[in-house]
Amino acid sequence: MGSLDKAQLTGFICRICSKMNKVVIHVYGEEGKRINLASQLQTYLGVDVYMNDDLPKTVCPSCIVKLRMYYEWMELIMKTQKEFGNTSNDLKISRVVSLSPIETDDT
Ligand SMILES: [Zn+2]
């Protein structure tokens, strides 16, 4: 329903999935700034959205949800890796030590 021309007049192109959407979040709008959208897109998706580029500055709600899930997932992974000591040799060593049977050392 509705031609593409009409859609272009009534919607915004999502920067991430390129789909047309009536409801979008502007990267440099109030909401976009509040959730730090530009830096999240850069950090987690590798998408640079500059205020003065000629590309869309809008992201659709479905991509926002996915970005949030991805963000939370990444945070979880980083937290887990830290707990497993994969991020630092020191942590790894202390983890190995703490995994060995605890011997009472109260002399
Ligand atoms: Zn999208």
Side-chain angles (χ1 to χ4, degrees):
M1 282 174 270
S3 66
L4 190 64
D5 284 346
K6 195 176 179 183
Q8 275 170 349
L9 287 171
T10 54
F12 298 91
I13 294 173
C14 172
R15 177 67 168 258
I16 305 307
C17 68
S18 81
K19 279 182 192 154
M20 192 70 70
N21 256 279
K22 281 186 182 177
V23 182
V24 290
I25 291 178
H26 290 255
V27 174
Y28 291 104
E30 206 172 295
E31 176 71 1
K33 279 179 180 168
R34 194 182 64 78
I35 61 173
N36 225 350
L37 192 50
S39 88
Q40 280 191 32
L41 292 174
Q42 211 278 318
T43 307
Y44 297 108
L45 305 181
V47 177
D48 290 311
V49 182
Y50 298 110
M51 220 184 274
N52 57 352
D53 65 23
D54 292 329
L55 298 165
K57 309 285 182 305
T58 46
V59 179
C60 74
S62 123
C63 283
I64 293 285
V65 169
K66 284 178 191 144
L67 177 64
R68 169 159 240 125
M69 283 166 63
Y70 186 67
Y71 165 82
E72 281 168 7
W73 190 52
M74 289 300 284
E75 292 287 299
L76 178 69
I77 290 168
M78 281 191 270
K79 190 170 162 265
T80 305
Q81 297 316 301
K82 214 169 189 175
E83 277 169 11
F84 284 154
N86 282 359
T87 50
S88 153
N89 281 335
D90 292 344
L91 277 172
K92 201 177 223 169
I93 290 163
S94 69
R95 184 75 186 182
V96 170
V97 169
S98 69
L99 280 176
S100 53
I102 298 163
E103 290 172 66
T104 45
D105 194 33
D106 47 348
T107 47

